[in-house]
Amino acid sequence: EKLTPMVVPRSSAKIADDQEYGLYNVTLFRRVADEFKGKAREQKFIVRDVGYDETEMKATKEQLETASAEEKEQWASLTRLVKTNFGEVFSGWMHIKAIRIFVESVLRYGLPPDFLTCLVQPRSKHEKKARDVVQLFYSHLSPEKSKKESGSKKKKDVDDSDMALLMGHEKEYFDYASFTFNWDVEEN
């Protein structure tokens, strides 16, 4: 604003910027435009004239409306596609989880497969209590207990954290095969 005397006061405003450049607009009188350009170039600014063309503005507005309508069409098509295929994808996902727990159970308890598979959804506050109850019920499957019953007095070679890593779990190891998955539609 202070490069030349005929600039409209408080007319400069930052329109956009990025890491390297900033875009500003300045309103000034035509008779000082060339002088302003020269002084701005001396200060290492790049000055460009912007012309207002009514037909170009209408064309741009029409393109924006067309793009917006096309986006709504594509969004509706995508929503329809997701709704029709979600059930099949979710069913496939659950089958993969069931296969994983089956394989883990067979690897732990051997063949022939003789175990119960169930899906439990405790309330978030009661998850630890539910795990404790299931742990108590299946404590006879503990590797430590089976060693004691067989009369083996060897030192425990693998602790629970190592067993959890061996079984592919990141958190902890239970005496029963357990697989936790979180699925909350409203969270995402």
Side-chain angles (χ1 to χ4, degrees):
E1 288 183 9
K2 297 180 180 178
L3 293 177
T4 56
M6 300 293 278
V7 175
V8 177
R10 296 188 185 135
S11 66
S12 66
K14 183 184 253 186
I15 298 172
D17 64 341
D18 61 11
Q19 293 176 352
E20 297 179 22
Y21 299 103
L23 179 63
Y24 295 88
N25 73 336
V26 178
T27 305
L28 48 97
F29 291 99
R30 287 181 197 221
R31 64 180 181 189
V32 294
D34 292 331
E35 182 184 346
F36 181 82
K37 287 178 187 176
K39 289 192 176 183
R41 284 191 185 109
E42 288 174 6
Q43 298 291 324
K44 301 199 181 194
F45 288 108
I46 300 170
V47 179
R48 296 194 178 132
D49 289 332
V50 176
Y52 180 77
D53 187 9
E54 189 70 32
T55 56
E56 189 176 316
M57 292 296 283
K58 284 182 181 178
T60 304
K61 197 173 193 177
E62 287 174 8
Q63 285 178 349
L64 185 62
E65 289 172 358
T66 305
S68 178
E70 188 176 324
E71 179 190 10
K72 285 180 182 177
E73 271 182 41
Q74 289 179 355
W75 182 257
S77 174
L78 178 66
T79 303
R80 225 177 5 263
L81 181 68
V82 166
K83 284 182 179 180
T84 57
N85 292 318
F86 176 78
E88 191 173 326
V89 169
F90 186 77
S91 176
W93 186 46
M94 288 298 108
H95 278 91
I96 289 171
K97 302 302 178 191
I99 290 169
R100 181 174 176 185
I101 200 73
F102 176 81
V103 168
E104 186 174 329
S105 297
V106 168
L107 289 173
R108 279 193 191 190
Y109 308 119
L111 290 173
D114 184 22
F115 48 83
L116 170 70
T117 302
C118 61
L119 181 66
V120 179
Q121 182 185 5
R123 291 191 177 109
S124 61
K125 295 178 182 178
H126 302 293
E127 183 178 350
K128 179 160 176 38
K129 186 177 181 180
R131 285 208 181 269
D132 290 342
V133 169
V134 175
Q135 179 73 26
L136 183 65
F137 190 72
Y138 289 108
S139 63
H140 66 280
L141 298 174
S142 172
E144 296 169 2
K145 192 165 190 171
S146 62
K147 283 181 185 178
K148 287 178 185 175
E149 288 175 1
S150 65
S152 173
K153 294 185 179 180
K154 291 183 181 177
K155 185 181 173 189
K156 185 178 172 184
D157 292 335
V158 180
D159 66 349
D160 287 348
S161 62
D162 292 338
M163 186 61 79
L165 289 173
L166 287 172
M167 297 305 286
H169 298 290
E170 295 177 6
K171 294 184 179 176
E172 51 189 325
Y173 174 79
F174 303 103
D175 293 335
Y176 53 91
S178 173
F179 181 72
T180 304
F181 63 95
N182 297 320
W183 183 68
D184 189 1
V185 176
E186 294 181 14
E187 191 174 288
N188 298 325

